Amino acid sequence: DQQVKQNSPSLSVQEGRISILNCDYTNSMFDYFLWYKKYPAEGPTFLISISSIKDKNEDGRFTVFLNKSAKHLSLHIVPSQPGDSAVYFCAAKDTGTASKLTFGTGTRLQVTL
Amino acid sequence: DTGVSQDPRHKITKRGQNVTFRCDPISEHNRLYWYRQTLGQGPEFLTYFQNEAQLEKSRLLSDRFSAERPKGSFSTLEIQRTEQGDSAMYLCASSLQQGFGNTIYFGEGSWLTVV
């Protein structure tokens, strides 16, 4: 069963505009959420995280929003840049585990000129 | 910048052969993880160590897979009698245990192709 879902396999956004990547989860025991960015043939790179006690966390151009009641989180990138083109993974940690992450299947973001 | 280091980056092997991957975590990190990623999927958890103790193993980790972290520093992941279904990217990651919300940092991965 897919406990972390990224229902949009791809997204295309114009440079300078906002990119919004979405993630839904089903496990109410998840208490920490992370976004990773991945280029081809490389490992995932940590971007930003949020704990379940918050509803927003911001770091430069990246903001993550968490809606616990809807079991939904989103990553906003403003403004989008061509270098942001990559696959973005949402990941979640279960409160019952030390640090094991459950990942979504990823959304490929393409930022066009 | 000494991030998580993995070796080899690429490995092509014949079915039935054994392969071993090595991971050197970020030096002060006491937790080390192995994940596997196949095309079109997100990384899937395989196992994790706290110092030298292997504390959790996924059901994905069949008897042909074994991981060690003998001195609580580097780790090896061995796959015996490889099968074509083992072809994937094997990702190592590490983190520092410091209470809530430990960020996990990944290496660049080791690609395995079983022919």
Side-chain angles (χ1 to χ4, degrees):
Chain A
D1 64 333
Q2 193 74 24
Q3 296 187 65
V4 178
K5 300 178 185 178
Q6 294 177 257
N7 293 318
S8 298
S10 64
L11 175 68
S12 183
V13 172
Q14 220 169 10
E15 181 181 11
R17 304 251 179 169
I18 183 171
S19 295
I20 301 176
L21 296 99
N22 293 305
C23 178
D24 296 294
Y25 62 95
T26 57
N27 188 342
S28 58
M29 298 300 287
F30 287 148
D31 63 352
Y32 191 64
F33 303 88
L34 306 90
W35 284 94
Y36 285 85
K37 173 181 176 180
K38 188 177 184 302
Y39 294 115
E42 292 186 9
T45 302
F46 169 73
L47 272 179
I48 191 168
S49 62
I50 188 167
S51 76
S52 59
I53 60 174
K54 294 186 175 181
D55 55 18
K56 177 182 174 181
N57 189 27
E58 194 170 351
D59 184 2
R61 296 186 299 115
F62 302 93
T63 303
V64 57
F65 295 92
L66 175 62
N67 183 333
K68 282 185 65 179
S69 60
K71 293 192 176 66
H72 177 84
L73 66 156
S74 61
L75 174 68
H76 293 208
I77 307 174
V78 183
S80 301
Q81 300 173 354
D84 296 329
S85 298
V87 178
Y88 289 78
F89 290 98
C90 170
K93 184 188 82 69
D94 188 320
T95 188
T97 71
S99 289
K100 182 182 90 174
L101 297 180
T102 301
F103 282 81
T105 53
T107 296
R108 181 178 301 279
L109 173 65
Q110 178 152 9
V111 180
T112 59
L113 297 173
Chain B
D1 176 16
T2 52
V4 179
S5 176
Q6 293 188 243
D7 183 70
R9 294 290 313 280
H10 303 273
K11 179 74 176 178
I12 300 174
T13 191
K14 290 185 178 179
R15 190 176 52 173
Q17 298 292 305
N18 299 345
V19 296
T20 299
F21 300 109
R22 176 183 169 120
C23 171
D24 288 273
I26 294 171
S27 59
E28 66 270 22
H29 286 184
N30 57 349
R31 287 183 174 165
L32 185 147
Y33 312 80
W34 286 98
Y35 283 75
R36 179 173 69 186
Q37 185 175 18
T38 53
L39 283 174
Q41 300 296 316
E44 295 174 294
F45 171 80
L46 293 179
T47 188
Y48 106 91
F49 293 83
Q50 181 153 314
N51 300 312
E52 65 275 9
Q54 188 173 19
L55 296 186
E56 192 171 348
K57 291 170 63 172
S58 164
R59 287 171 293 176
L60 293 175
L61 214 64
S62 76
D63 291 344
R64 297 184 297 105
F65 288 70
S66 62
E68 293 183 345
R69 193 182 184 199
K71 296 183 180 178
S73 56
F74 75 92
S75 174
T76 57
L77 176 68
E78 181 183 18
I79 309 173
Q80 296 182 325
R81 305 181 303 281
T82 52
E83 302 172 355
Q84 287 187 322
D86 297 332
S87 296
M89 175 182 264
Y90 290 85
L91 292 159
C92 179
S94 69
S95 71
L96 179 64
Q97 178 188 6
Q98 51 182 14
F100 184 83
N102 307 306
T103 297
I104 295 177
Y105 297 91
F106 285 85
E108 295 196 336
S110 293
W111 274 107
L112 173 65
T113 302
V114 181
V115 297

